[in-house]
Amino acid sequence: MKILCEVQVVNRTTQANRTPRPVKSTLAIGYKQNASDSNGNTKKELEMLLFSGTTKTSTRYKLKGFLQTMKLGMEGKDAINLRLNIAAATAIPQKSQPQQRMVVSKRSEYPIKGFPRTLKSLTINNSQLVKLSFEICTLRNLTTLDVGGNKLTKIPPELGRLPLTTLHLSGNCLGELNDWCWMRGTKLSQSLRELDLSSNGLTYFPPALVKFERLVSLKLNHNQLTRLPFAIRRLQGLRSLHVCSNKLESLPAAIEDLRIDLLDVWGNCFRGFNAEAAQLQSHRLSASNTPQPLWLQAARAVANYKLPLSADSVPAVLIELISEAPKCLCGKLCYALRQEDLLQRVIQPKFTNIKNLTYSREHQIYADVVICGPNCSASQQLKALFALMFP
């Protein structure tokens, strides 16, 4: 009798501190025929041979009793099928490794019996897929998912439970419903490193995306984005940002807070300096004297005193507020973000932290800024600048 199993050999007299790892092996159980005894009868001894994957030869163990199966064998009963001569025993060919990658390039290749639970990488491209099955969202070992070039309009919320590191969703229709519930999954937001949402008809930046603080590469090419949020400054791990072929008129000044190796803004609709808005802003800065709400004063106090942003010391609403608040030109965080605090297309970013910038040379890139209040240093400088430009 031969069985294929995982075996862990422990020598109790010489065992080291570390427990040996189980190894996929073959166990052969049978009789060894020895020389005849004084009566001319052939002596039989029940033995077990161990064939491990690391050694070509077998290890022989004499059995005096091994659960009920060995007991039956020692008594010579026929309840189990034992080899009469174990000398001829050989190892069972081990099965191939569990499947970890699968590529589906057309609908006929879609697995009828379901996906292997051991998959780590799954690619389903150009298969007219209109719905992502719940079964895919239960593949707990999955780290890479590529479903580009399909017709998906919605992603199941359960996908947010997977620890994916790479997610490609390009060439779908996610901008039709703009359902981003799946981005609220804690595991996904903590594990995702690479996200591709190109060619999805997006008209705005998904709000929940700014919480993916471990994101390294983000592709939003060939959409209809008109603005990027100031809260993009939360993506401190971002090294590659692709937003080419959109409808961006300007960039948020918060782009200066990121350390990006590659910024691609080619093929957008960057517009020139907004003189009218700047002149209007000059009057707003002079007239603005609105009392600050309590929540705004609390948020600024937390930031000024550098209190730890933990749920034990700071309310969750303030943590979110501080994490996503844009920075004023004076360097302080600005939480109000009212219309009178926003200046569109009034400065040219320096891109000091951007290593490689790809853009249309015929367009100057301008940035939007936020002013934290009429008394800040940046506000005074802007008012002086506007006074010179518009006497």
Side-chain angles (χ1 to χ4, degrees):
M1 179 179 70
K2 292 191 294 185
I3 57 175
L4 185 63
C5 57
E6 286 192 352
V7 176
Q8 183 178 8
V9 179
V10 178
N11 189 329
R12 295 189 178 182
T13 59
T14 61
Q15 182 184 3
N17 293 330
R18 292 185 298 177
T19 304
R21 295 175 56 186
V23 179
K24 185 174 291 185
S25 310
T26 300
L27 285 179
I29 304 171
Y31 291 109
K32 177 184 178 182
Q33 294 184 356
N34 292 337
S36 302
D37 57 15
S38 57
N39 298 326
N41 299 322
T42 302
K43 293 188 295 185
K44 298 178 181 178
E45 294 182 357
L46 191 64
E47 291 188 347
M48 179 174 65
L49 299 184
L50 172 62
F51 299 88
S52 65
T54 57
T55 58
K56 297 182 180 180
T57 59
S58 62
T59 304
R60 187 181 301 270
Y61 297 92
K62 291 186 178 181
L63 297 178
K64 295 182 180 179
F66 186 70
L67 302 179
Q68 184 63 26
T69 302
M70 297 299 99
K71 183 174 182 296
L72 294 174
M74 293 294 292
E75 294 175 352
K77 296 183 179 180
D78 296 330
I80 57 175
N81 181 20
L82 299 177
R83 284 181 176 270
L84 292 180
N85 188 3
I86 198 173
T90 57
I92 300 175
Q94 295 190 14
K95 296 182 179 180
S96 59
Q97 294 294 326
Q99 186 174 0
Q100 297 183 349
R101 296 174 57 88
M102 176 177 286
V103 177
V104 178
S105 55
K106 51 187 177 181
R107 301 193 67 175
S108 59
E109 297 176 354
Y110 207 87
I112 300 177
K113 296 183 179 180
F115 296 95
R117 311 297 300 174
T118 54
L119 282 183
K120 292 185 177 180
S121 174
L122 176 60
T123 300
I124 307 176
N125 292 147
N126 306 311
S127 301
Q128 303 296 313
L129 197 66
V130 297
K131 183 179 180 181
L132 200 63
S133 67
F134 177 77
E135 181 190 4
I136 294 178
C137 300
T138 62
L139 300 176
R140 298 303 179 187
N141 295 315
L142 202 63
T143 57
T144 300
L145 178 61
D146 183 354
V147 287
N150 288 286
K151 296 183 177 181
L152 299 174
T153 58
K154 184 178 180 180
I155 302 297
E158 291 78 11
L159 189 73
R161 303 174 186 172
L162 297 182
L164 298 176
T165 58
T166 302
L167 178 59
H168 291 181
L169 297 168
S170 62
N172 283 283
C173 309
L174 299 179
E176 292 185 8
L177 299 180
N178 286 314
D179 188 343
W180 309 111
C181 292
W182 57 276
M183 285 190 176
R184 300 173 187 169
T186 304
K187 281 193 175 181
L188 184 64
S189 62
Q190 293 179 350
S191 63
L192 198 62
R193 300 292 188 274
E194 181 179 337
L195 176 62
D196 190 351
L197 284 169
S198 302
S199 303
N200 268 279
L202 303 184
T203 56
Y204 64 87
F205 190 95
L209 189 54
V210 297
K211 298 181 181 180
F212 285 63
E213 298 181 6
R214 297 187 179 182
L215 206 61
V216 175
S217 175
L218 176 60
K219 294 182 180 180
L220 296 166
N221 301 326
H222 303 285
N223 283 294
Q224 301 176 36
L225 302 178
T226 57
R227 297 191 66 184
L228 296 179
F230 283 92
I232 198 173
R233 72 178 185 85
R234 289 188 64 171
L235 305 181
Q236 289 297 310
L238 199 63
R239 294 296 176 265
S240 176
L241 176 60
H242 301 258
V243 285
C244 73
S245 301
N246 278 275
K247 297 182 179 180
L248 297 175
E249 295 184 357
S250 56
L251 295 176
I255 206 77
E256 299 276 26
D257 295 333
L258 302 179
R259 297 186 177 275
I260 298 180
D261 294 332
L262 174 59
L263 175 61
D264 184 0
V265 292
W266 182 276
N268 281 278
C269 306
F270 291 114
R271 298 175 61 183
F273 178 75
N274 193 345
E276 181 180 354
Q279 187 176 21
L280 180 61
Q281 183 63 24
S282 177
H283 297 295
R284 285 175 176 172
L285 292 174
S286 301
S288 177
N289 193 19
T290 306
Q292 296 180 350
L294 182 60
W295 60 265
L296 177 55
Q297 296 183 48
R300 285 181 174 167
V302 171
N304 291 338
Y305 289 104
K306 298 181 180 181
L307 299 180
L309 297 182
S310 64
D312 298 331
S313 57
V314 179
V317 63
L318 286 184
I319 294 178
E320 288 295 315
L321 187 65
I322 295 171
S323 299
E324 299 184 12
K327 279 187 177 181
C328 173
L329 285 180
C330 68
K332 296 181 180 179
L333 297 180
C334 182
Y335 306 93
L337 197 58
R338 300 164 297 180
Q339 184 61 36
E340 55 267 29
D341 300 318
L342 177 64
L343 290 80
Q344 295 181 328
R345 309 195 311 277
V346 294
I347 65 170
Q348 285 186 299
K350 299 178 181 178
F351 298 116
T352 54
N353 294 328
I354 309 298
K355 292 184 178 180
N356 295 287
L357 175 63
T358 303
Y359 69 104
S360 305
R361 301 293 178 178
E362 64 271 16
H363 295 293
Q364 291 289 340
I365 300 179
Y366 284 87
D368 305 335
V369 298
V370 175
I371 300 299
C372 66
N375 297 322
C376 77
S377 59
S379 174
Q380 302 300 326
Q381 294 175 7
L382 284 175
K383 284 194 291 185
L385 176 62
F386 296 157
L388 292 176
M389 297 177 61
F390 310 104

